[in-house]
Amino acid sequence: MRSTMAEPSDPASREWLCRALYTASRAMTARYRPALAALGLTYPQYLTMATLWEHGPSTVGQLGRRLELESSTLSPLVKRLEAMGLVTRNRDAHDERSVNVGLTPRGQAMRENAVSIPGEIGAATGLSAKEQARLVAQLRELTAHLEFATPSIAHD
């Protein structure tokens, strides 16, 4: 994968990328908070529900891959959604290690109340749809580079 980002000349400027990503992530999550409060969901719960709305019933493993979450993080989240009456969890009849997660009628109906959220958030970014798509592609490329980069030796 070829990088489209220029190498910062000042090593300290590399820290600004980290800070900018962190700040943008916090701002994005904060922007979602009021809309999700109306649904009674946290941001990770919303992402899980949105994944189920998009892909339908899934195993915990499939959800974890799609959300890039470990099962130790995802399992309590799914249990909480089950306690809220939004999803069901059932052991797979053919593989008891696998847990299937599906939407309840209440969880499916919640989609109608959440359908406007992506558009509202997209508008709040101030970016066009094309700019958003380009930014998503760049962030995915950045993520791939960071995940597959060889760790450097720590300096004393």
Side-chain angles (χ1 to χ4, degrees), residues 59-61 90-100:
T59 65
V60 170
N90 299 299
R91 293 254 173 230
D92 189 294
H94 304 292
D95 181 359
E96 289 195 17
R97 296 171 297 171
S98 185
V99 175
N100 296 310

Side-chain angles (χ1 to χ4, degrees), residues 27 36 41-43 59 63 69 74 78 94 99 102 109-110 121:
L36 298 182
L41 295 175
T42 64
Y43 186 65
T59 65
L63 283 172
L69 292 175
L74 189 55
V78 170
H94 304 292
V99 175
M110 181 182 274
I121 301 300

Side-chain angles (χ1 to χ4, degrees), residues 107-130:
Q108 187 62 45
M110 181 182 274
R111 184 179 195 174
E112 290 180 33
N113 297 327
V115 73
S116 65
I117 294 174
E120 292 170 15
I121 301 300
T125 67
L127 301 173
S128 70
K130 187 175 181 178

Side-chain angles (χ1 to χ4, degrees), residues 1 9 15 31-32 40 51 88 91 113 119 131 135 146 149:
M1 205 179 302
S9 59
E15 288 301 312
R31 180 60 186 86
Y32 269 93
T51 301
T88 59
R91 293 254 173 230
N113 297 327
E131 290 169 323
L135 179 57
L146 292 171

Side-chain angles (χ1 to χ4, degrees), residues 13 17 45 50 52 89 96 129 145:
S13 67
L17 174 61
Q45 289 170 341
L52 290 168
R89 292 180 316 126
E96 289 195 17
H145 282 287

